[in-house]
Amino acid sequence: MVQTFFILIIFSIVFFFYFKVKYWRTHQPIMKKWTQTKANMALGSFLLFFGLNSLLFPRSTLEIVIGVIFSLLGSANIYFGYKAYKHYMPYALQEAENQK
């Protein structure tokens, strides 16, 4: 179980850096915002998995509190990132079609 969370944490931070680099290299404004929302969701998943890992294997009360805070922040980041992702998706597709 510990390895599963470790792998998910590593994947989410790798995806965060991937989308951040893609964000810096993109020049279209809507596509840039769309890529930023994907990076926010990846960061949210990192916080969520890190918090859940702290909650499932606690060593102290402080670690439980930190796990709850990270889980709530990660969940909020994923939720609002997904809403923004759905909002920008049609505009990003339209911008990509216009670019061709």
Side-chain angles (χ1 to χ4, degrees), residues 6-89:
F6 182 71
I7 291 170
L8 290 172
I9 289 169
I10 296 298
F11 273 133
S12 59
I13 202 69
V14 166
F15 277 118
F16 171 72
F17 285 124
Y18 170 75
F19 287 125
K20 274 309 219 185
V21 168
K22 196 171 179 180
Y23 169 79
W24 290 326
R25 300 177 103 194
T26 304
H27 299 293
Q28 297 101 351
I30 300 295
M31 193 67 84
K32 212 170 177 109
K33 290 179 182 179
W34 193 47
T35 306
Q36 177 66 35
T37 61
K38 291 189 265 186
N40 285 344
M41 288 190 298
L43 183 63
S45 66
F46 168 75
L47 287 172
L48 178 67
F49 294 138
F50 195 83
L52 289 177
N53 189 35
S54 297
L55 284 174
L56 291 178
F57 307 106
R59 290 175 286 213
S60 68
T61 306
L62 180 62
E63 193 166 334
I64 292 172
V65 170
I66 290 172
V68 167
I69 292 171
F70 277 17
S71 296
L72 290 174
L73 285 174
S75 298
N77 217 356
I78 292 170
Y79 174 73
F80 290 116
Y82 183 70
K83 282 182 70 172
Y85 175 84
K86 282 179 54 176
H87 172 74
Y88 288 123
M89 189 160 113

